[in-house]
Amino acid sequence: MKAAERVKELCELLNEHAHRYYVLDDPFISDGEYDRLFHELLSLEDAYPNLIRADSPTRRVGGLPLDKFEQAKHRQPMLSLENGFTDEDLNEFSDKLKRFLTHQVTTGYSAEPKLDGLAVELVYQQGYLQQGSTRGDGFTGENITRQLRTINAIPLKLVGVAPELLEVRGEVYMKKDGLVELNKKQLQKGLQPFANPRNAAAGSLRQLDPAITAKRPLRFFAYGVSAPEATGCRTQTQLLEYLREQGFPVNRHNLFCPEMSNVIDHFKALAMLRHKLPYDIDGMVVKVDEFSLQDRLGNKSRAPRWAIARKFPATQSTTKLLDVEFQVGRTGAITPVAVLEPVEIDGATVSRATLHNQDEIKRKDLHVGDSVLVQRAGDVIPEVVKALTNLRTGSECQIAMPTHCPACNSLLTKPEGEAVTRCVNGVCPAQQLRTLAHYTSKAGLDIEGLGAKYIEQLFDLGMIQTIPDIYMLRHDLLKDLEGWGDKSADNVLAAIEQAKTPNLSQFLAALGIRFIGEISAQLLEQHFRSLATLQSADKEELLDIDGIGEQAAESLINYFQSEPVTLMLDKLHELGVNPAAAEVSATGLPLEGAVIVFTGTLLQLSRDEAKKLVKDCGGHIASSVTKKVTHVVAGEKAGSKLRKATDLGKIILSEAEFLSLTQGDSI
Ligand code: IVH
């Protein structure tokens, strides 16, 4: 046989075997046999370089490492997906479709596992793989052609009749067992193990040297193309079949569902199957099956109207604990904060999580460098659940609580039996800064234009140190600061002027006295009606107020007895700051006496509008469901607060019911 013929035969044979192994998951020959054929081809190609074919499996790796990744523009943007978290979200999605497509009966859905890897685009011209890129910002990604060519599951040449141009989209991922093997090797080499298959896949693809990528066990599933018209397919289901025929691995759990109820059933099946699958999935993607309907529905700015991702609930993810920072709170409490390798949980990127206090770190046995399990539930702050101690390399370091304040260097105290380590320096700059930022924030006097960023700027410049300094800011000094100007200086000074006559309760909440939040401040205003009367109240009088407990009373007494505080309040008085109790309305406002918590997403109002409405209607806002709360307004995707409210028997309102209540209607 001629060398040319044998080269062609070997290429076809090896590609066929790779296809059987990586795509059909049904190998015919042993790994040893494959290697023998591969080496035969290599030596033939060595002897006759002019016979090397573009689809030769030996051409998957080669060339020198890159200096950097070039940019690669996508001809059609690579969109992302809207997320849904409940079956209700899916039903709403289908209702919306029906409304949008008026009277058109939908033709079913393609329900597909949402693969947890990296989206890539593969450009085939005249049937050959020419370019591969990451998604990037959706418009431009990175050219990783040479890295992608090393993935055996990606065909270098299409199998069927090829259109002129075919841009295939899909997910590069690593199987769970592949990660275990890879991590073993990483550890043997004294390198850091990867926290999860997704990070490992991303890290492997972003190697400038494709020879390294080639050694990583990466896989691929195709799920779409940029322009389906070129394929002659009418539906997504047909397209998936087409992609399979062209030689791509297509997930076997993709399912055509005639109705949304079938989609919901399939989601349940996938949720059961999830942990048995050899690769990670983080939900299901639901697509309108018919392309003509997809076209009619079109896209919003970042995501199509014809698809939704139904995510799995209560998600935990693994990532790396890179560092621990110690934050000084407004009241001097030192809080350790985990700095994490960014990881996506439930659609949000988590890069920091509170570690609460020293005892918590000890209990969870956390070390810097650990792989950690992180969880995020609904609107709750992300949390480190535990360290994955079996992934330790020995290079992890213990976390030591500081003995001195990271801001003012004074000795920290941790009273016996208490969990919190505290800086008790009354003039600690970190505490002062936080106090100032709280005073002007939305939770305080809500001084527009003086958000945390600007407060920090003025503080760093030494222009403000204590609250009275805010009222002494001068136009000529502000206007020339970086990021300011005449107009912003004018606006901020006007807002500060307005903040000279706050409601007493707002003022009390703005001071940031320990244990005095918005609700307690309201109770104090109702009872005392003036700052002077409150300042001279004794503990018994405070405790007499329903809703003011031992801790709050103690804290108030300590606060008003402290000399720096009296000096500050006197100074504020001198500067014309005059908090006053609100007029008691004769008519009675619709939400008088109500303490309201919002949870979930509101559709008609922003959170700020809703809060303002509550205040305007005489009600109070609380941030968590406590004894004092009377109503809970549940928006879309309401989470744990709704459950707690139901358990505690609070009145639960929909957004519409809340709105009619503010109109004075009874519900
Ligand atoms: S379709 C416009 N199908 O999910 C349609 N995406 O948030 C978008 N993904 O970046 C892509 N499995 O990485 C589609 N069966 C699937 C998918 C899938 C995983 C990922 C993909 C994309 C992200 C969208």
Side-chain angles (χ1 to χ4, degrees):
M1 192 190 286
K2 290 233 186 72
E5 271 171 49
R6 182 61 181 160
V7 165
K8 180 163 184 268
E9 192 177 73
L10 282 170
C11 273
E12 281 169 3
L13 211 61
L14 285 163
N15 284 340
E16 168 65 17
H17 287 312
H19 183 252
R20 294 205 71 93
Y21 186 89
Y22 290 105
V23 180
L24 306 178
D25 201 8
D26 180 20
F28 252 22
I29 54 170
S30 67
D31 291 1
E33 180 73 357
Y34 183 91
D35 288 346
R36 201 186 56 71
L37 295 171
F38 192 88
H39 281 100
E40 185 187 341
L41 178 60
L42 262 184
S43 42
L44 274 174
E45 287 179 342
D46 257 0
Y48 308 99
N50 60 323
L51 294 182
I52 297 172
R53 300 161 58 93
D55 63 340
S56 168
T58 63
R59 299 301 105 182
R60 288 192 178 269
V61 199
L64 294 170
L66 305 171
D67 294 331
K68 64 175 174 57
F69 293 109
E70 299 293 333
Q71 291 202 331
K73 267 204 162 49
H74 303 298
R75 286 186 184 78
Q76 306 284 337
M78 289 180 79
L79 299 175
S80 65
L81 291 167
E82 295 256 297
N83 285 330
F85 297 94
T86 60
D87 292 347
E88 220 177 298
D89 293 341
L90 287 182
N91 284 322
E92 224 166 79
F93 169 72
S94 79
D95 289 347
K96 238 190 255 171
L97 292 178
K98 290 194 180 125
R99 251 180 283 136
F100 205 93
L101 296 169
T102 44
H103 308 311
Q104 170 88 40
V105 226
T106 49
T107 53
Y109 305 92
S110 177
E112 309 169 7
K114 188 167 189 300
L115 309 156
D116 196 9
L118 251 92
V120 300
E121 178 171 78
L122 304 168
V123 182
Y124 289 85
Q125 276 167 327
Q126 266 82 42
Y128 285 91
L129 176 61
Q130 296 294 351
Q131 194 182 63
S133 52
T134 59
R135 178 172 175 274
D137 63 4
F139 299 97
T140 309
E142 283 174 325
N143 185 335
I144 50 162
T145 313
R146 290 181 47 205
Q147 286 69 16
L148 287 169
R149 285 179 67 89
T150 68
I151 302 176
N152 286 308
I154 294 180
L156 299 175
K157 180 175 178 280
L158 301 179
V159 178
V161 185
E164 187 115 335
L165 174 73
L166 187 68
E167 296 177 315
V168 176
R169 278 136 186 220
E171 200 85 351
V172 170
Y173 67 97
M174 193 177 287
K175 294 207 318 187
K176 296 175 191 167
D177 57 2
L179 175 74
V180 174
E181 283 305 308
L182 174 61
N183 273 348
K184 266 192 213 154
K185 289 189 196 151
Q186 291 283 104
L187 287 174
Q188 277 163 8
K189 289 187 205 149
L191 297 170
Q192 291 287 334
F194 292 99
N196 55 45
R198 192 182 183 285
N199 286 3
S204 302
L205 266 188
R206 292 204 80 267
Q207 291 289 337
L208 287 165
D209 184 357
I212 300 180
T213 313
K215 294 199 188 108
R216 303 285 171 80
L218 294 174
R219 298 286 186 124
F220 178 75
F221 275 127
Y223 53 63
V225 296
S226 66
E229 309 80 59
T231 64
C233 300
R234 263 191 321 102
T235 64
Q236 170 72 7
T237 306
Q238 285 176 3
L239 178 71
L240 292 170
E241 197 43 50
Y242 172 90
L243 288 169
R244 198 193 302 274
E245 283 163 10
Q246 291 288 0
F248 292 97
V250 173
N251 193 279
R252 69 172 83 185
H253 301 289
N254 295 337
L255 184 71
F256 171 77
C257 297
E259 300 288 340
M260 192 45 86
S261 59
N262 311 113
V263 172
I264 292 174
D265 287 345
H266 190 46
F267 179 77
K268 286 201 191 89
L270 286 178
M272 302 276 284
L273 190 67
R274 177 185 188 188
H275 297 291
K276 295 200 197 98
L277 290 175
Y279 45 82
D280 275 350
I281 61 173
D282 58 346
M284 178 180 70
V285 182
V286 188
K287 303 170 185 174
V288 168
D289 201 41
E290 184 110 16
F291 291 135
S292 63
L293 296 183
Q294 289 189 1
D295 287 346
R296 280 182 55 199
L297 288 159
N299 303 323
K300 289 186 265 183
S301 63
R302 309 289 298 173
R305 264 190 214 95
W306 46 263
I308 186 168
R310 164 76 159 98
K311 301 297 274 291
F312 290 130
T315 18
Q316 297 189 333
S317 209
T318 42
T319 188
K320 274 249 147 68
L321 178 58
L322 300 177
D323 196 7
V324 176
E325 284 176 2
F326 296 93
Q327 273 181 1
V328 189
R330 205 176 66 222
T331 57
I334 308 290
T335 310
V337 178
V339 181
L340 303 166
E341 193 173 289
V343 58
E344 205 188 273
I345 310 183
D346 268 352
T349 305
V350 175
S351 54
R352 297 168 75 80
T354 175
L355 295 175
H356 304 289
N357 53 52
Q358 188 177 4
D359 297 353
E360 189 89 353
I361 294 176
K362 226 184 254 163
R363 196 169 59 76
K364 292 182 178 163
D365 184 28
L366 297 175
H367 288 62
V368 168
D370 268 340
S371 289
V372 287
L373 195 63
V374 180
Q375 81 179 9
R376 177 173 170 263
D379 39 14
V380 178
I381 306 168
E383 180 180 38
V384 175
V385 183
K386 63 171 183 182
L388 304 173
T389 43
N390 57 333
L391 290 181
R392 285 207 174 134
T393 59
S395 61
E396 296 75 16
C397 342
Q398 289 235 326
I399 301 164
M401 277 303 274
T403 49
H404 291 77
C405 174
C408 69
N409 209 30
S410 55
L411 197 66
L412 299 176
T413 62
K414 182 172 182 283
E416 197 67 40
E418 273 188 31
V420 179
T421 307
R422 224 173 258 287
C423 167
V424 288
N425 171 9
V427 289
C428 166
Q431 292 177 55
Q432 283 179 324
L433 174 61
R434 295 226 158 205
T435 303
L436 287 165
H438 175 76
Y439 187 79
T440 60
S441 75
K442 284 209 161 65
L445 295 195
D446 194 9
I447 303 182
E448 222 178 302
L450 268 191
K453 198 175 99 193
Y454 291 103
I455 287 289
E456 201 169 326
Q457 181 191 23
L458 300 177
F459 185 80
D460 286 345
L461 290 170
M463 291 172 70
I464 51 173
Q465 270 161 358
T466 60
I467 293 171
D469 298 337
I470 294 173
Y471 295 92
M472 296 193 284
L473 286 168
R474 281 169 31 196
H475 186 274
D476 58 334
L477 295 179
L478 285 178
K479 74 173 180 10
D480 294 329
L481 299 180
E482 201 186 317
W484 290 73
D486 247 340
K487 193 150 175 55
S488 34
D490 274 344
N491 290 344
V492 163
L493 289 175
I496 292 173
E497 194 56 34
Q498 260 197 1
K500 283 187 174 172
T501 48
N503 268 351
L504 178 58
S505 59
Q506 215 187 348
F507 180 73
L508 291 173
L511 290 176
I513 308 165
R514 269 188 95 192
F515 304 115
I516 305 300
E518 252 174 305
I519 301 172
S520 329
Q522 287 276 358
L523 298 172
L524 294 170
E525 171 178 319
Q526 276 161 22
H527 188 90
F528 293 104
R529 317 283 313 148
S530 85
L531 183 60
T533 343
L534 169 61
Q535 271 179 285
S536 58
D538 61 20
K539 195 166 163 187
E540 275 61 53
E541 200 177 351
L542 288 166
L543 284 172
D544 268 351
I545 304 171
D546 201 12
I548 300 286
E550 184 72 34
Q551 281 180 320
E554 185 98 13
S555 168
L556 283 163
I557 298 289
N558 286 341
Y559 187 81
F560 288 120
Q561 270 174 4
S562 125
E563 198 177 314
V565 168
T566 357
L567 288 174
M568 173 186 75
L569 292 176
D570 288 349
K571 182 86 191 163
L572 283 176
H573 187 69
E574 255 173 54
L575 287 163
V577 179
N578 224 337
E583 295 287 318
V584 185
S585 76
T587 50
L589 290 165
L591 295 184
E592 223 159 72
V595 179
I596 297 186
V597 166
F598 289 95
T599 174
T601 315
L602 301 179
L603 297 180
Q604 303 186 41
L605 299 171
S606 72
R607 273 287 172 101
D608 286 340
E609 285 169 336
K611 285 185 177 177
K612 185 166 180 311
L613 190 58
V614 170
K615 284 187 186 161
D616 292 348
C617 292
H620 308 312
I621 299 281
S623 56
S624 58
V625 183
T626 60
K627 255 196 339 218
K628 295 174 196 169
V629 168
T630 56
H631 299 72
V632 172
V633 180
E636 280 203 344
K637 295 172 196 158
S640 55
K641 285 183 196 169
L642 178 57
R643 271 193 301 279
K644 185 160 180 206
T646 320
D647 291 349
L648 293 176
K650 305 287 181 194
I651 304 168
I652 315 276
L653 301 173
S654 67
E655 184 176 356
E657 287 169 331
F658 163 72
L659 284 169
S660 55
L661 202 63
T662 61
Q663 302 294 311
D665 299 344
S666 56
I667 49 152

